[in-house]
Amino acid sequence: MAELGFEVIGIDTDLNKVTTLQGGHVPFFEPGLDEVLERNIKAGRLRFSTSIQEAAEFGDVHFICVGTPQLAGAQRADMTQVFGSIAALAPYLKPTDLVVGKSTVPVGTAHEIFEQLKNTAAAGVEVAWNPEFLREGFAVEDTLRPDRLVVGVRSQRAEDILREVYAPLIEINTPFLVTDFPTAELVKVAANSFLATKISFINAMAEVCEAAGADVSQLAEAIGYDPRIGNRFLSAGLGFGGGCLPKDIRAFMARAGELGADEALMFLREVDQINLRRRSHTVDLARKTLGGEFVGKSVTLLGAAFKPNSDDVRDSPSLDVAVAISNAGANVKIHDPKALENAARVYPNMNYEQDVMKALEGADLIIHGTEWNEYRELDPAEVAKVVNTRHVIDGRNVLDPQAWRAAGFTYRALGRPTA
Ligand code: UGA
């Protein structure tokens, strides 16, 4: 928003984060975000605070961007942060203000917030729902040049304010869709469910390819040329993780159940199962590769982040596999260019190594779990010199089988038994 020319104040309850941001540093890894942050702080358009009162008095439009993680022990979303921030903001709102929800929420939330605010001192305040579609690793690009903008509103005034807020993006022909509250909320979870389904579809094909002796990468390429199918998000492998897709499909199923529409989303249970099965299958494949036993063997996991260009380890398939193999008795070393600190916070007892060649030293098996460019560029001949036995499992189907085999490795990939 500051980059678009607005004056912005960012609020968080975590003083450490606020201090880091105010100092011009992003407290996580996101390519290109440091420059944008620094530029806008220097220009005086952007500052950070822990005071919600200060923010409320300063702003006319209040974006709610807090997390909605999966509730511990349940499938549905934990809404504490959304309702907590609304409750904290409400006493200071002005009747002319607009509250814009960006968090991914169960359908019906915007209406609930609207009703809550109606009964407070902030009566007259407008509410809108404006889902966020950015991808980690592409956050800056996706924010400044989004595919589309979706705004769920109940009044012309709310729409007008958002048209003004997004004027620079509308000017560059970004589609601007105006809907009601529930449609806007559903667009978000429908989009993530579709993406998750696409990934699980190709991973289901990978399972069949494994049984039939076929190659899922060639299959994906071939079906992807049909523009109705498209070749994006058809990479078979360890499957989807992160703080969004897995918990969003679960929360969507839970909400549909509350609405009496659970049958409609039954397929998402299968999408989830196919996805999780890729992880257990990889552990089985690793055990088989090592002759049926993990104890006494050394395994190196390349990648801890849930995807490349991110330091996010939430529900990371690669880290999950590492922990499962370690629990089964192997000595596991984990490498990642950016995510080791976060991984160590979640699993302090695992072994982490910052130097990739050191991480590979003495390995009986290498598992490629996150497709950082750095791993694609590894020279298998150099790797061959430091490992103990030459086995590699490519969990992301991007390494070059011929190059690894030429260096003496057995190469196994998911869904490509003959690759
Ligand atoms: C996802 C959506 O793509 C965004 O549009 C959405 O805004 C975001 O969630 C959100 O709800 O906030 P993100 O979680 O950053 O974005 O990650 P994706 O790029 O969607 O990747 C998710 C997972 O799927 C990763 O683990 C990735 O490795 C995996 N993946 C992706 C595959 O296994 N195969 C593919 O072909 C593509």
Side-chain angles (χ1 to χ4, degrees):
M1 284 299 142
E3 187 76 356
L4 296 180
F6 294 99
E7 283 183 42
V8 180
I9 178 163
I11 299 297
D12 202 289
T13 50
D14 182 338
L15 179 61
N16 279 336
K17 271 188 199 163
V18 165
T19 312
T20 308
L21 285 160
Q22 193 58 49
H25 304 289
V26 181
F28 49 85
F29 176 68
E30 181 60 46
L33 191 53
D34 275 295
E35 291 98 271
V36 180
L37 180 74
E38 213 185 317
R39 179 162 62 239
N40 284 286
I41 291 176
K42 276 201 183 129
R45 284 189 296 266
L46 178 58
R47 63 196 165 89
F48 295 89
S49 165
T50 52
S51 164
I52 203 142
Q53 181 173 358
E54 188 186 349
E57 283 162 5
F58 166 87
D60 306 303
V61 182
H62 309 276
F63 285 96
I64 307 292
C65 313
V66 293
T68 51
Q70 189 172 337
L71 196 67
Q75 298 282 300
R76 63 181 200 280
D78 178 351
M79 296 295 290
T80 319
Q81 295 179 49
V82 171
F83 288 112
S85 48
I86 294 289
L89 190 61
Y92 309 111
L93 285 170
K94 307 170 284 293
T96 49
D97 284 354
L98 174 67
V99 173
V100 187
K102 286 202 85 70
S103 307
T104 303
V105 293
V107 58
T109 303
H111 173 75
E112 211 174 318
I113 291 172
F114 181 85
E115 291 296 318
Q116 273 182 19
L117 290 178
K118 222 167 63 181
N119 303 322
T120 65
V125 71
E126 298 279 356
V127 174
W129 217 262
N130 171 216
E132 178 54 63
F133 304 109
L134 71 80
R135 298 160 295 167
E136 290 185 25
F138 299 91
V140 175
E141 173 68 18
D142 285 354
T143 304
L144 297 178
R145 272 167 290 276
D147 294 329
R148 75 291 205 190
L149 292 162
V150 177
V151 299
V153 293
R154 277 207 179 156
S155 73
Q156 190 60 46
R157 196 170 80 84
E159 179 186 333
D160 291 346
I161 297 173
L162 283 166
R163 281 191 185 276
E164 205 181 321
V165 164
Y166 286 123
L169 301 183
I170 295 171
E171 233 164 71
I172 56 168
N173 294 326
T174 309
F176 187 84
L177 286 91
V178 182
T179 71
D180 51 27
F181 284 171
T183 306
E185 292 166 323
L186 282 175
V187 166
K188 170 67 195 192
V189 278
N192 274 4
S193 298
F194 193 90
L195 295 171
T197 304
K198 205 168 175 192
I199 298 168
S200 277
F201 173 83
I202 203 63
N203 281 332
M205 294 305 110
E207 286 187 26
V208 180
C209 285
E210 276 152 20
D215 186 311
V216 74
S217 292
Q218 289 182 332
L219 182 144
E221 186 188 351
I223 63 171
Y225 282 118
D226 182 335
R228 292 170 302 175
I229 296 173
N231 59 10
R232 296 178 70 189
F233 261 64
L234 272 188
S235 302
L238 262 177
F240 59 82
C244 302
L245 264 43
K247 64 101 179 159
D248 283 355
I249 59 169
R250 292 171 198 151
F252 194 16
M253 284 185 273
R255 183 65 183 134
E258 288 167 7
L259 295 169
D262 39 348
E263 256 183 71
L265 298 189
M266 218 71 109
F267 72 97
L268 286 179
R269 202 183 310 166
E270 206 48 49
V271 166
D272 201 7
Q273 289 303 316
I274 294 165
N275 191 53
L276 294 175
R277 218 152 52 219
R278 291 286 78 188
R279 303 181 190 186
S280 50
H281 174 77
T282 303
V283 175
D284 292 343
L285 189 60
R287 186 183 284 109
K288 210 150 92 196
T289 306
L290 291 171
E293 188 48 79
F294 280 124
V295 176
K297 300 286 168 51
S298 296
V299 179
T300 300
L301 255 293
L302 294 180
F306 84 102
K307 70 177 204 180
N309 295 317
S310 168
D311 62 358
D312 191 344
V313 299
R314 287 177 294 172
D315 206 347
S316 160
S318 187
L319 199 51
D320 227 13
V321 167
V323 171
I325 290 179
S326 167
N327 288 343
N331 303 316
V332 174
K333 265 193 274 181
I334 304 171
H335 175 269
D336 192 284
K338 296 285 177 195
L340 292 188
E341 235 175 84
N342 284 341
R345 221 167 282 143
V346 188
Y347 297 110
N349 297 327
M350 299 292 291
N351 288 326
Y352 301 101
E353 177 52 63
Q354 272 177 344
D355 180 297
V356 69
M357 290 312 279
K358 277 200 192 136
L360 292 165
E361 246 169 49
D364 294 301
L365 167 66
I366 302 166
I367 301 179
H368 175 231
T370 313
E371 68 275 34
W372 287 93
N373 270 340
E374 167 171 0
Y375 301 145
R376 216 170 305 194
E377 286 159 10
L378 281 172
D379 179 354
E382 290 302 308
V383 176
K385 290 182 195 159
V386 301
V387 296
N388 190 36
T389 28
R390 298 177 191 180
H391 295 300
V392 64
I393 294 177
D394 185 0
R396 292 294 174 183
N397 283 327
V398 293
L399 302 179
D400 177 357
Q402 275 166 4
W404 285 82
R405 287 214 179 96
F409 281 85
T410 65
Y411 173 93
R412 295 298 305 271
L414 303 184
R416 301 167 71 200
T418 55

